[in-house]
Amino acid sequence: MTAAPGVWQPHDEMRRQEEVRIEAAGLEFECTSAARLTWTAEEDRGVLELRVVPDRTAVVRVAWRVPCVGATAFWAADGGEHRGLPPFWRRPRTAALEKNAPVGCLVGTQDQALCTFAAGEVVRPVRTRTGVVEETGEFGFWVEHEAEPGGGLLLRLDLTRRHFATTLAGVADWWRTLHGPDRDVPRAARMPAYSTWYAMQQHVDAASVERQAGPAAELGCEAIIVDDGWHSDDRGRGYGYVGEWEPSPVSFPDMAQHVAKVRGEGLAYLLWYALPFVGRHTALWDRVRPYTLAYKEHMNAAIVDPRHPTVRDLLAGHLTRAVTEWGMDGLKIDFIDQFAVEDPPEPGPGADCATVNEGVRRLLAQLPGDCLVELRQPYVSPGLWPYATMIRASDCPLSPAHNRQRTVDLRLIAGPLAVHADMLMWHPDESPQRIATQLISVLFAVPQISVDLTTLNPAQEEALRFWLAFFRDHAEVLQRGDFEPARPDLAYPQVTARSGGTVITARYAPMPVESPETGTLWLANGDASTGVLLRVSRPGTARATVYDCRGRTEGDELVTLTPGTVEVTVPEGGLLRLETTA
């Protein structure tokens, strides 16, 4: 169904703000602007696209409400660890190219999406306010951004009441349609990786990286990511020495030779850059001072202004050199969100774009287009998809629950990008069961391992080897299958991916697991409880094979499935394979 285009002419063009009401898809929308507005509303099977266009460049706001009936959670790209129902009076969110994404979903019982919305603008700032309206018991939404006559404010609402993950996948597909083709995501971006950060912090050098490369490749990693510390001998955890991006002559005396040696082990090599920063103690300091957005006292560094081509050429040149001269396969680009400075100064002479957002976009467009590029939460805008191959969960060392929630959140809206977990680390005395549960917590993402692999005991190594093999063998289903996380209000206690006749479910709490009528169920037990309840819908038989956290077979038998619930024992960190026949 398509609603007829509408037009609204303010009665008094001198008034600061006017309002128009639009009825579409059973909702009433209030549109406000200082400009004359036209609009179109197109609805197709419960999905509405509303476009509101001003006759001159102006801020446009669209607001609406839905009954808050059966609501359990509000999902947002920057929702953090709390997924309750916020009050409408809380501070608005801002999404832009450098930070966040303009999307949200009101989730109800049975994981139904009561209302999923997204804005089409993914570069310039978009402000949203969402929450419970106390006076009416409704859930309120508004979205606003500066709009131009040529495009206006474009809004997508999904009111189909499908599973919330399905509606968010629809948003990602919509963004891809709006903003063009993506970069290819090569195999190495989707395979397990080794990272130096938690294992070495800034105490990284060529010898230590090479010492980990062989074991990492042998265990199943296909990339190594060298983090902070390669560019300086300073170990102060600040950024006063970043910006020149020359390898430390002490730690990395011959970077190209070192990279070739690591790549000879069969690993792709990615190098870390804190892109926006130039440190106070660098030779570049005086040169960039006229081109800064802000100075970060606690970081001892300035954020440079990408609206200037001089700055973009400088930064892009450093990163390009890593690929062309040192043989890097990729770049880990950190701190893009730091470009999102509140109230940036007016651009100085020589700037060629008015907004920082556009400057960041032009900067990323100058990077080599044929290499791996890792980004990170919270810079999750689909406007970054053309410039990246993978996106990682924000830092949460030794926190499996947070790593699970963040990787699932990313999977829901990452579109074409490979989603990576934050690096996995553990105490040297950790049990293989708990190492396995960490890996299971990020089962639907790409694991990055960050421990000293040369000091693992045999049980730890067996657990790591077993689960990395599972990631590799089932990557197509885990990363590209139909994705169905459960209960965002409870931080996803169960997650499922399915493709063809294969279903993979990870269990993080004692919840029943749906048993498929036919095909193969892989059940990873990420909970300490071992009595797993299978919910069976029709009678049949199945071969049940149980593995412990190290991949050792604990049971292999035919079982009878009767409708109702069937209990099987799966050890903590272990795996069940259930081959069902009718």
Side-chain angles (χ1 to χ4, degrees):
M1 180 178 73
T2 301
V7 63
W8 173 67
Q9 173 68 50
H11 298 295
D12 181 359
E13 286 289 331
M14 299 303 293
R15 294 177 62 182
R16 184 178 63 85
Q17 190 173 73
E18 299 290 346
E19 180 179 296
V20 61
R21 296 179 183 272
I22 301 170
E23 291 187 2
L27 299 175
E28 183 177 77
F29 298 87
E30 298 178 355
C31 307
T32 55
S33 181
R36 177 178 180 268
L37 299 176
T38 58
W39 72 87
T40 58
E42 298 184 1
E43 183 187 357
D44 183 14
R45 291 174 290 185
V47 178
L48 173 70
E49 285 192 22
L50 178 64
R51 187 186 296 273
V52 182
V53 183
D55 67 342
R56 63 180 184 274
T57 300
V59 173
V60 176
R61 176 184 295 183
V62 178
W64 70 100
R65 297 179 181 183
V66 300
C68 197
V69 176
T72 59
F74 181 74
W75 185 96
D78 66 342
E81 281 69 60
H82 303 289
R83 282 282 152 73
L85 299 178
F88 190 65
W89 45 256
R90 73 171 179 177
R91 185 176 181 179
R93 287 177 162 92
T94 298
L97 184 74
E98 317 94 295
K99 191 174 183 179
N100 203 358
V103 59
C105 178
L106 180 63
V107 184
T109 56
Q110 304 301 312
D111 291 332
Q112 287 185 341
L114 304 181
C115 180
T116 299
F117 78 92
E121 174 60 60
V122 297
V123 177
R124 295 177 299 175
V126 177
R127 282 167 37 96
T128 62
R129 171 168 273 166
T130 53
V132 174
V133 180
E134 299 170 359
E135 294 84 353
T136 65
E138 296 172 298
F139 199 87
F141 305 79
W142 61 247
V143 177
E144 71 173 20
H145 65 76
E146 185 177 74
E148 298 174 347
L153 185 153
L154 179 60
L155 191 64
R156 184 184 199 268
L157 269 68
D158 190 319
L159 304 168
T160 60
R161 290 184 173 261
R162 294 175 294 171
H163 192 281
F164 77 95
T166 302
T167 66
L168 290 169
V171 168
D173 289 342
W174 181 65
W175 278 331
R176 294 175 81 168
T177 300
L178 289 176
H179 301 293
D182 320 303
R183 291 177 60 174
D184 291 333
V185 176
R187 170 189 166 86
R190 297 192 180 278
M191 290 293 110
Y194 182 85
S195 169
T196 64
W197 180 237
Y198 292 142
M200 305 179 196
Q201 297 284 300
Q202 290 179 312
H203 301 278
V204 61
D205 57 33
S208 61
V209 173
E210 292 165 15
R211 189 163 53 249
Q212 299 299 323
E218 196 271 333
L219 283 167
C221 293
E222 293 197 16
I224 195 163
I225 304 170
V226 172
D227 213 290
D228 192 1
W230 66 269
H231 58 91
S232 170
D233 296 322
D234 177 68
R235 300 294 182 257
R237 290 293 293 269
Y239 299 95
Y241 292 90
V242 305
E244 295 174 310
W245 303 116
E246 290 286 345
S248 161
V250 175
S251 301
F252 292 87
D254 189 331
M255 182 62 89
Q257 184 183 68
H258 159 68
V259 172
K261 187 172 183 179
V262 171
R263 295 183 78 239
E265 297 285 354
L267 297 173
Y269 199 123
L270 287 80
L271 195 61
W272 172 89
Y273 287 85
L275 190 62
F277 298 146
V278 171
R280 188 178 184 86
H281 303 307
T282 65
L284 285 173
W285 179 253
D286 290 333
R287 178 180 166 188
V288 303
R289 286 182 67 183
Y291 309 105
T292 58
L293 291 170
Y295 178 68
K296 295 287 188 177
E297 184 72 37
H298 68 290
M299 293 181 171
N300 209 14
I303 299 170
V304 292
D305 189 346
R307 293 174 292 186
H308 294 267
T310 299
V311 169
R312 297 198 300 270
D313 290 346
L314 174 69
L315 300 183
H318 288 315
L319 275 65
T320 299
R321 181 187 179 198
V323 176
T324 59
E325 293 188 22
W326 302 334
M328 297 294 170
D329 299 281
L331 307 164
K332 174 177 179 173
I333 300 179
D334 217 346
F335 296 112
I336 286 177
D337 54 312
Q338 294 296 313
F339 281 120
V341 173
E342 192 171 346
D343 298 323
E346 290 295 320
D352 64 353
C353 52
T355 67
V356 174
N357 320 107
E358 177 59 19
V360 172
R361 192 197 65 78
R362 294 185 186 188
L363 168 60
L364 295 175
Q366 289 183 233
L367 301 183
D370 57 351
C371 68
L372 299 165
V373 175
E374 182 197 279
L375 304 180
R376 173 179 59 82
Q377 285 172 320
Y379 35 102
V380 297
S381 168
L384 296 170
W385 291 352
Y387 315 113
T389 54
M390 53 238 257
I391 186 164
R392 180 177 64 82
S394 57
D395 294 11
C396 50
L398 260 177
S399 183
H402 288 168
N403 220 350
R404 176 176 76 246
Q405 182 166 13
R406 293 173 189 183
T407 51
V408 170
D409 285 348
L410 283 174
R411 279 292 309 276
L412 291 168
I413 58 161
L417 303 186
V419 171
H420 281 233
D422 186 41
M423 294 76 72
L424 302 185
M425 59 167 288
W426 51 83
H427 188 276
D429 295 335
E430 187 58 275
S431 69
Q433 291 86 355
R434 295 303 301 167
I435 292 172
T437 57
Q438 277 211 64
L439 288 155
I440 294 170
S441 286
V442 298
L443 190 62
F444 302 90
V446 178
Q448 291 188 13
I449 309 303
S450 192
V451 295
D452 185 347
L453 299 176
T454 67
T455 62
L456 298 176
N457 65 44
Q460 292 172 332
E461 183 177 326
E462 287 176 14
L464 183 57
R465 185 185 305 278
F466 173 63
W467 281 106
L468 289 185
F470 190 84
F471 277 100
R472 292 167 57 87
D473 293 344
H474 300 277
E476 191 65 25
V477 179
L478 291 169
Q479 297 184 43
R480 301 192 193 203
D482 293 334
F483 187 55
E484 192 173 289
R487 301 295 301 270
D489 54 316
L490 299 179
Y492 309 123
Q494 189 176 121
V495 182
T496 295
R498 64 186 83 235
S499 180
T502 300
V503 177
I504 302 176
T505 294
R507 167 190 183 269
Y508 307 108
M511 292 176 60
V513 175
E514 199 73 31
S515 176
E517 293 184 356
T518 59
T520 303
L521 169 69
W522 294 95
L523 178 81
N525 185 20
D527 189 63
S529 62
T530 60
V532 177
L533 294 179
L534 299 177
R535 187 183 292 117
V536 178
S537 59
R538 73 176 188 180
T541 58
R543 175 164 293 278
T545 307
V546 177
Y547 306 90
D548 70 5
C549 67
R550 297 156 65 179
R552 301 175 300 182
T553 303
E554 288 208 343
D556 187 8
E557 61 180 340
L558 284 175
V559 296
T560 300
L561 302 177
T562 56
T565 57
V566 175
E567 183 172 346
V568 293
T569 299
V570 183
E572 179 184 9
L575 181 67
L576 166 69
R577 179 179 181 177
L578 194 72
E579 290 278 0
T580 307
T581 57

